[in-house]
Amino acid sequence: MIKKLSLIFVFMIFVVSINAAPSKGNKGKNNMMKESVDFEDLSPDQKERMMELRAELLHKEASINNRMRDLRSEMNKCMLSKNPDMKKFDQMQKESVKLREERRVLKSDYMYRMHKIINQQSK
């Protein structure tokens, strides 16, 4: 009986994961991008601006990711010490939240600016 229930449970998880995953027709479009735009349909100026914007995002995001990696390392060292300094850990945790928010805002701004570039195509 337990094997049968386990098998049913695994099957249900499989079905749910198939429905949640993006398919070929629905490639997980961002809410700001209501319809997909082919990169080849853009003008050379739009392509250049999009590539510059992408490079800018990657540079800024790499900086945030490096700071996050260093912070996680410090947090691990702090918690693995014999007498963890919880005040220091809390401060690092707050900094981690700030960095995640900074990354979220950065990506949101990137999508907004990308959307503006794409909309200039139709004007």
Side-chain angles (χ1 to χ4, degrees):
M1 181 69 174
I2 292 178
K3 286 184 178 182
K4 194 181 239 184
L5 287 175
S6 296
L7 187 59
I8 291 171
F9 180 71
V10 169
F11 179 73
M12 289 178 64
I13 290 176
F14 177 73
V15 170
V16 168
S17 66
I18 288 174
N19 289 334
S23 64
K24 289 183 181 179
N26 176 20
K27 296 187 179 181
K29 298 176 196 166
N30 187 291
N31 289 339
M32 292 186 91
M33 307 278 184
K34 295 298 180 190
E35 54 190 61
S36 65
V37 176
D38 191 359
F39 188 74
E40 298 303 318
D41 293 339
L42 299 174
S43 71
D45 180 53
Q46 287 173 313
K47 289 178 185 179
E48 182 180 336
R49 290 193 339 231
M50 288 179 82
M51 296 304 287
E52 289 171 0
L53 186 61
R54 179 74 180 148
E56 179 185 329
L57 172 74
L58 291 176
H59 176 74
K60 289 179 180 178
E61 197 171 37
S63 173
I64 293 171
N65 289 340
N66 290 339
R67 292 183 358 225
M68 283 291 291
R69 184 187 61 243
D70 295 342
L71 188 60
R72 278 193 303 270
S73 176
E74 287 181 44
M75 290 170 74
N76 287 339
K77 287 178 188 174
C78 180
M79 290 309 289
L80 292 174
S81 68
K82 290 183 180 180
N83 296 318
D85 183 358
M86 293 309 291
K87 288 183 181 182
K88 182 179 178 183
F89 182 80
D90 288 341
Q91 290 173 342
M92 288 187 285
Q93 198 170 28
K94 288 177 184 177
E95 178 66 22
S96 175
V97 169
K98 287 178 186 177
L99 288 172
R100 278 186 261 139
E101 177 65 15
E102 186 178 333
R103 185 172 42 204
R104 187 195 64 75
V105 168
L106 180 69
K107 287 183 177 184
S108 178
D109 180 57
Y110 167 77
M111 290 304 298
Y112 174 74
R113 291 169 62 189
M114 194 67 79
H115 184 67
K116 282 176 52 176
I117 293 170
I118 290 170
N119 278 345
Q120 289 176 355
Q121 172 189 14
S122 58
K123 291 182 180 180

